[in-house]
Amino acid sequence: MKEPALINVRIQPKGKLSQLCLDKGLTYLQDVISYLRDLPYGRTSDKRKLELVLTEGRGTCTVKHALIVQLAFENGIRGLHLALCTYNMTETYHAEIHPILKYYGLKAIPEARCFIKYHNSIYNLAGRHQAFRPEIISEIEIAPLQIGSFKKRYHKNYIESWLQLERLHKHWSPDQIWSIREECIEAAEENWESCPQLLCCA
């Protein structure tokens, strides 16, 4: 996921997020992207409030990307969208989850996360590790405000379909797989310096 050829647009005080960025001395869109990359991984207290990434000083890949898209909207930047992508999370992408998958006898965990879609290409603008290239199975464009309950519902539906496809539905329920997925995220939070590739999970 290489960098898109984004025009380095100057941020204008045209909305709440734009003003917060300017207050922090973030003058251009590229300044905001660099700032978000340096923020530590962490779930904000309310992902529906994108400004909390800036005020609480942390964020996940999904909420950071949603913030970028909303900021672009406030500043009239066209062609930049939020893409909700699904892929199978394996130890190939995330070495930290190997013991968890091995314990449960699973080869993968279905994951859904948001990236940036710009002129029909997918980018990870919130991650410091650009080598991360999951094999995306599906994608849909969503609005920044859909990263809460809609994203979770979509993800759980994907898990249910995955269980049927992999013929695991007799052994695992969607809620059980979701719980294991949360274990994977928690493991990454505890060891984020040793496993930065997983920091984008939402």
Side-chain angles (χ1 to χ4, degrees):
M1 292 183 180
K2 62 181 181 179
E3 289 284 338
L6 279 172
I7 298 174
N8 205 9
V9 178
R10 189 180 182 91
I11 296 172
Q12 304 296 326
K14 295 183 177 180
K16 181 190 295 185
L17 291 178
S18 296
Q19 189 59 60
L20 280 172
C21 289
L22 291 172
D23 291 344
K24 287 185 171 292
L26 306 173
T27 308
Y28 293 91
L29 179 61
Q30 191 58 49
D31 296 336
V32 178
I33 293 171
S34 297
Y35 176 82
L36 293 177
R37 281 181 178 156
D38 289 336
L39 288 182
Y41 170 83
R43 291 172 171 169
T44 57
S45 56
D46 187 345
K47 67 170 59 178
R48 296 170 298 178
K49 299 179 180 179
L50 301 179
E51 66 273 14
L52 293 181
V53 177
L54 301 171
T55 58
E56 294 182 356
R58 63 179 181 271
T60 64
C61 180
T62 285
V63 74
K64 289 178 181 180
H65 282 140
L67 188 154
I68 292 170
V69 171
Q70 185 62 29
L71 189 63
F73 175 78
E74 289 184 0
N75 287 271
I77 303 172
R78 299 182 178 181
L80 196 150
H81 305 281
L82 191 63
L84 175 53
C85 303
T86 59
Y87 75 98
N88 290 331
M89 185 165 54
T90 70
E91 62 184 88
T92 301
Y93 300 130
H94 311 298
E96 191 71 20
I97 71 174
H98 170 69
I100 299 173
L101 294 180
K102 184 177 180 181
Y103 177 81
Y104 290 107
L106 294 168
K107 296 181 179 179
I109 286 288
E111 178 64 350
R113 67 174 64 174
C114 290
F115 295 111
I116 294 293
K117 188 172 184 179
Y118 184 67
H119 293 322
N120 296 317
S121 294
I122 300 295
Y123 300 95
N124 176 14
L125 298 186
R128 291 172 292 169
H129 298 263
Q130 295 301 309
F132 175 71
R133 290 183 176 86
E135 185 177 345
I136 294 173
I137 296 171
S138 65
E139 63 166 274
I140 60 169
E141 290 184 19
I142 64 172
L145 293 181
Q146 289 182 297
I147 64 173
S149 58
F150 174 85
K151 177 181 177 292
K152 185 174 183 178
R153 186 166 61 251
Y154 183 90
H155 192 170
K156 286 194 170 184
N157 287 340
Y158 171 56
I159 288 174
E160 189 169 0
S161 297
W162 176 83
L163 286 171
Q164 293 285 340
L165 184 64
E166 297 294 326
R167 297 182 179 179
L168 295 172
H169 57 285
K170 293 182 179 180
H171 306 285
W172 299 99
S173 71
D175 286 340
Q176 287 175 316
I177 295 297
W178 184 267
S179 179
I180 296 171
R181 183 256 184 186
E182 288 293 299
E183 284 189 45
C184 293
I185 303 304
E186 185 177 349
E189 286 188 60
E190 294 175 355
N191 302 283
W192 71 274
E193 287 289 357
S194 63
C195 189
Q197 299 268 15
L198 195 52
L199 298 185
C200 289
C201 291

